[in-house]
Amino acid sequence: MSHLPISLVVITHNEANNIARCLDSVPFASEKLVVDSGSDDDTVAVAQAHGARVVHQDWLGFGAQRNFASTQASHDWILVLDADEFLEPALVAELETRLPSMLQSGAAVGILRRSTWYMGAPMRWYRPMVGEKVERLYHRGRARWTDARVHESLRFEGAAEMFEAPFHHLHNPTLPHKQLKVLRYAELKCRDWHARGRAPRIWMAPLVYLAAFLKDWLLRLAILDGWRGFIVAHVAASYAIYKRLRYYEMHRNPGSIESARDVLLRHGLDR
């Protein structure tokens, strides 16, 4: 199979169980680059065994880590995946057909569709997990990730091309995995708010939970996915309210920021 002048870039930390599947799903990339932030499992060895060049970088936050990774790639065009994501054969075929002309164009990004597996099966109706449109293919001279600690986004100037076949995301394998991620992501988001001096607005917390739950359960059609839909809507709403409760604590008791950092570090949730 011919290779295209594109770099697959994956940022990792303890992803030994996922990284091989991710790397192997992109056979057309002439470079596979893994930027690891200090894994203590076999992530690095597995990545190298599956053809990746591995670069170490201490954790900078999601946006900054992705921007650093972009600078380490050998090619201007970058396909970025998370370790628990992978391309399906139909998307590989579509990319191999369309990428040669796109890489020669003035386009800035390619938009891919992501299909998510949740609790062991694909979601069928919940809109954020069925055909979600995400910018994952980009020219590093025309696009850059925001510097947010979490929930980063790609900012770009130029045209965007849409691809039809989906790639797959194996969502957190269990609810305990998800809850640990919620703790980490909420802490990072609250630190961003704290750095910007945002007001706590704790009075909004009950309204935030209700609005977030109803948005996902009804407007985003989680209700049609049965009990899994109820669970995903509840978890999303709980995350929305927990961020606000935790930020109020940071505002009310600034000493809790370092205390929380210490306990999260001890459990590998702060890097």
Side-chain angles (χ1 to χ4, degrees):
M1 181 175 294
S2 60
H3 288 166
L4 296 172
I6 187 170
S7 297
L8 168 64
V9 173
V10 188
I11 60 174
T12 60
H13 183 260
N14 290 344
E15 293 286 358
N17 292 332
N18 292 317
I19 189 62
R21 178 183 55 238
C22 175
L23 295 172
D24 292 348
S25 75
V26 190
F28 56 80
S30 61
E31 179 187 44
K32 298 179 181 182
L33 171 67
V34 168
V35 176
D36 187 78
S37 57
S39 295
D40 54 18
D41 64 1
D42 292 331
T43 297
V44 171
V46 173
Q48 290 172 335
H50 286 261
R53 176 168 63 92
V54 179
V55 173
H56 173 82
Q57 172 59 50
D58 290 341
W59 187 245
L60 302 171
F62 279 97
Q65 195 81 354
R66 292 197 191 281
N67 284 325
F68 170 81
S70 294
T71 69
Q72 301 302 300
S74 299
H75 301 289
D76 286 335
W77 277 99
I78 293 170
L79 171 64
V80 59
L81 293 176
D82 292 336
D84 60 356
E85 297 171 339
F86 61 96
L87 306 189
E88 68 164 31
L91 180 55
V92 170
E94 183 180 3
L95 289 167
E96 288 177 330
T97 299
R98 296 179 55 189
L99 277 179
S101 60
M102 181 180 174
L103 300 186
Q104 299 301 317
S105 74
V109 304
I111 300 174
L112 307 183
R113 299 179 185 271
R114 180 167 64 179
S115 173
T116 297
W117 285 58
Y118 188 70
M119 292 188 169
M123 296 294 272
R124 299 299 185 187
W125 294 97
Y126 178 52
R127 293 168 69 181
M129 291 185 176
V130 179
E132 178 188 15
K133 297 175 183 177
V134 289
E135 298 94 353
R136 291 302 188 84
L137 178 65
Y138 63 95
H139 188 289
R140 65 181 172 186
R142 303 164 193 159
R144 187 179 188 280
W145 296 95
T146 60
D147 288 323
R149 290 183 175 94
V150 68
H151 304 316
E152 72 286 5
S153 59
L154 191 66
R155 298 288 185 258
F156 62 93
E157 295 183 1
E161 293 196 20
M162 177 72 68
F163 293 82
E164 295 303 321
F167 71 100
H168 296 295
H169 175 213
L170 300 181
H171 201 268
N172 307 283
T174 68
L175 281 176
H177 287 83
K178 175 62 176 179
Q179 292 306 108
L180 291 172
K181 183 177 285 188
V182 162
L183 286 174
R184 181 183 178 217
Y185 281 18
E187 197 70 14
L188 294 174
K189 190 65 176 178
C190 289
R191 289 176 193 168
D192 278 345
W193 288 347
H194 189 266
R196 298 201 304 265
R198 171 175 165 157
R201 297 193 289 267
I202 188 65
W203 60 270
M204 293 181 62
L207 300 176
V208 164
Y209 177 88
L210 183 61
F213 178 82
L214 292 177
K215 180 180 71 174
D216 278 0
W217 198 49
L218 295 177
L219 298 181
R220 292 179 168 177
L221 305 182
I223 189 173
L224 299 180
D225 276 306
W227 286 113
R228 288 190 305 147
F230 175 83
I231 292 167
V232 79
H234 167 72
V235 170
S238 297
Y239 171 58
I241 193 173
Y242 174 75
K243 284 186 296 186
R244 285 153 179 86
L245 301 181
R246 173 64 182 126
Y247 185 58
Y248 174 77
E249 181 181 35
M250 283 184 174
H251 188 81
R252 179 70 178 78
N253 178 21
S256 70
I257 297 174
E258 287 305 315
S259 296
R261 191 190 305 272
D262 290 343
V263 73
L264 291 171
L265 277 171
R266 287 200 300 272
H267 289 84
L269 298 176
D270 198 342
R271 296 178 271 125

